[in-house]
Amino acid sequence: MIFGKFLFYIGNIILLLLLTTFRSKRAWRLALFLNFGYILLSIKILSSTQFYAASILSGFALFFFYVFYNIAHFENTPQEKRGYSSALMFSIGPLIGIAAPLASGYLAATNINLLWIFSGIFFLVTLYFINRQEDFSLTYSLKSALREIKATRWFIFLEGIWEAMIFGIIPIFSLFFIKKPLEYGGFLAYLAIVAVLANLILGKLTDKIQKRVVFLYPLTIGMSVLTFLFVFAVKNFLLWAIFTGLLQFLLPLFWNVSTAMVIDSHPNLRLAIPGREFMLAAGRIIGLLIAFISFSIEKIPHNVFFVLGFVMFLYPVILFWNTRISKRYRYL
């Protein structure tokens, strides 16, 4: 599963390197059809090769959707509302993660054909709304994109490495505790509810204060400490649930503030967003490799929590160095 997620980000990296000129509507349509292909490949997995192919397709879809969506989203958001706008953006996924499984489970229990009919309807509705979006062209070089985010690229890279916790370790290690699909779905719904509440309650606060960097110190230090504490939860599901809940409370706030900081620091979003996505994907690949090695050499992984906790601790250290010691950069 970790290797599949690794291939997911490899697929994203490949397109970031190769497709440096593309149009938004075409990209969103491709993302929709690639996700449909991913679903078809995942319905009944007969081999690891099939699973890996589905993962790569999903990685392609990530590029085609989010690079262009993030540009469109933030270009149409006033700076003074970017914190709340980010909060809404990062809440949509968890909300769908709560509602969609419940709705699909009900439809499947009633009549499996209804599930496919409604899925087809939503597919067509999404395709219709893509046609109504503004069609813009994106042209960049990776070198210029990375140069554009010079002030924040190390933060983005460290964030990507640490996110192995979210995309690799927590969902997979939770399977050691939870064996039934219903229980696992309930656990994911619990995490999603915590994330949405945290994001919507506190999302406007950064817009009101307009000093997002202030929030990054307590958030990153808290996330670093929690990552270290996971060492004590590997054999205790109660602690595991508490720590994941706390982390899920802090995570959307961190994503909200860190993303808004990058957007505020780099006005040329058509360079900054591809650069950000590349550094995130590169960091996530390294983080997942660390997780893969830990799961391979340890019966019960411990060391990975120390490594990722230290990685997150570097975030506020570098932030303090850049703003207070070297004074090379100023962040909103």
Side-chain angles (χ1 to χ4, degrees):
M1 290 173 71
I2 292 178
F3 188 65
K5 186 62 74 172
F6 171 83
L7 292 176
F8 172 85
Y9 290 113
I10 287 291
N12 189 25
I13 284 275
I14 289 171
L15 293 191
L16 282 164
L17 289 170
L18 297 180
L19 289 184
T20 56
T21 299
F22 219 77
R23 298 199 68 83
S24 59
K25 282 188 179 181
R26 186 183 304 169
W28 286 324
R29 292 189 192 104
L30 279 170
L32 190 60
F33 282 99
L34 285 167
N35 268 321
F36 186 70
Y38 164 74
I39 292 169
L40 291 178
L41 283 173
S42 302
I43 291 172
K44 188 175 182 180
I45 297 175
L46 301 175
S47 68
S48 57
T49 302
Q50 180 184 342
F51 172 68
Y52 297 148
S55 298
I56 293 173
L57 276 186
S58 188
F60 289 162
L62 178 74
F63 166 82
F64 284 121
F65 182 79
Y66 275 106
V67 169
F68 295 87
Y69 174 80
N70 286 339
I71 291 171
H73 182 97
F74 287 108
E75 280 189 344
N76 289 282
T77 301
Q79 180 173 330
E80 66 274 9
K81 294 183 179 180
R82 281 175 180 168
Y84 186 62
S85 180
S86 295
L88 289 175
M89 184 176 75
F90 287 119
S91 296
I92 291 171
L95 283 172
I96 293 173
I98 297 169
L102 293 174
S104 60
Y106 174 77
L107 289 172
T110 305
N111 186 331
I112 192 65
N113 291 326
L114 288 175
L115 179 61
W116 290 106
I117 290 170
F118 275 91
S119 296
I121 291 171
F122 282 115
F123 180 91
L124 293 174
V125 169
T126 306
L127 197 60
Y128 169 75
F129 278 107
I130 288 173
N131 293 330
R132 299 193 62 182
Q133 303 307 305
E134 178 187 349
D135 192 22
F136 62 88
S137 178
L138 175 64
T139 300
Y140 68 95
S141 71
L142 186 59
K143 184 178 180 180
S144 60
L146 294 178
R147 190 187 305 118
E148 172 68 20
I149 60 166
K150 182 180 179 181
T152 59
R153 62 189 177 201
W154 279 111
F155 299 123
I156 300 168
F157 184 64
L158 291 172
E159 175 185 340
I161 295 174
W162 179 85
E163 283 178 348
M165 278 289 295
I166 303 303
F167 299 123
I169 296 170
I170 288 177
I172 294 172
F173 198 91
S174 296
L175 296 174
F176 284 106
F177 298 111
I178 303 170
K179 304 300 181 182
K180 297 180 180 179
L182 181 60
E183 293 174 350
Y184 190 63
F187 179 69
L188 294 180
Y190 151 71
L191 297 182
I193 290 170
V194 171
V196 170
L197 289 176
N199 222 5
L200 294 180
I201 290 171
L202 300 176
K204 287 187 176 181
L205 193 56
T206 60
D207 288 333
K208 185 176 181 180
I209 297 178
Q210 284 292 304
K211 289 184 179 179
R212 309 186 208 284
V213 69
V214 174
F215 294 90
L216 283 171
Y217 287 108
L219 286 171
T220 51
I221 291 171
M223 291 163 68
S224 175
V225 171
L226 273 173
T227 305
F228 287 127
L229 289 176
F230 269 87
V231 172
F232 302 104
V234 292
K235 293 184 179 180
N236 187 320
F237 179 63
L238 179 60
L239 285 178
W240 184 266
I242 291 171
F243 292 160
T244 51
L246 289 171
L247 197 60
Q248 206 69 27
F249 180 83
L250 296 176
L251 182 64
L253 304 178
F254 169 70
W255 277 341
N256 179 354
V257 178
S258 62
T259 301
M261 182 184 75
V262 172
I263 300 304
D264 290 337
S265 301
H266 311 295
N268 189 347
L269 298 184
R270 301 195 185 191
L271 287 178
I273 294 298
R276 174 183 177 270
E277 292 298 320
F278 180 85
M279 293 303 294
L280 270 179
R284 288 165 178 171
I285 287 170
I286 291 175
L288 288 166
L289 279 175
I290 294 169
F292 184 80
I293 292 169
S294 181
F295 272 86
S296 299
I297 65 177
E298 295 181 278
K299 187 175 182 180
I300 298 179
H302 287 85
N303 292 327
V304 66
F305 300 113
F306 293 116
V307 174
L308 296 181
F310 176 73
V311 166
M312 180 51 73
F313 183 70
L314 288 176
Y315 197 111
V317 170
I318 296 174
L319 185 61
F320 184 79
W321 176 268
N322 284 354
T323 56
R324 301 294 184 180
I325 306 299
S326 69
K327 297 183 180 180
R328 292 178 61 194
Y329 303 109
R330 292 185 63 189
Y331 307 104
L332 181 62

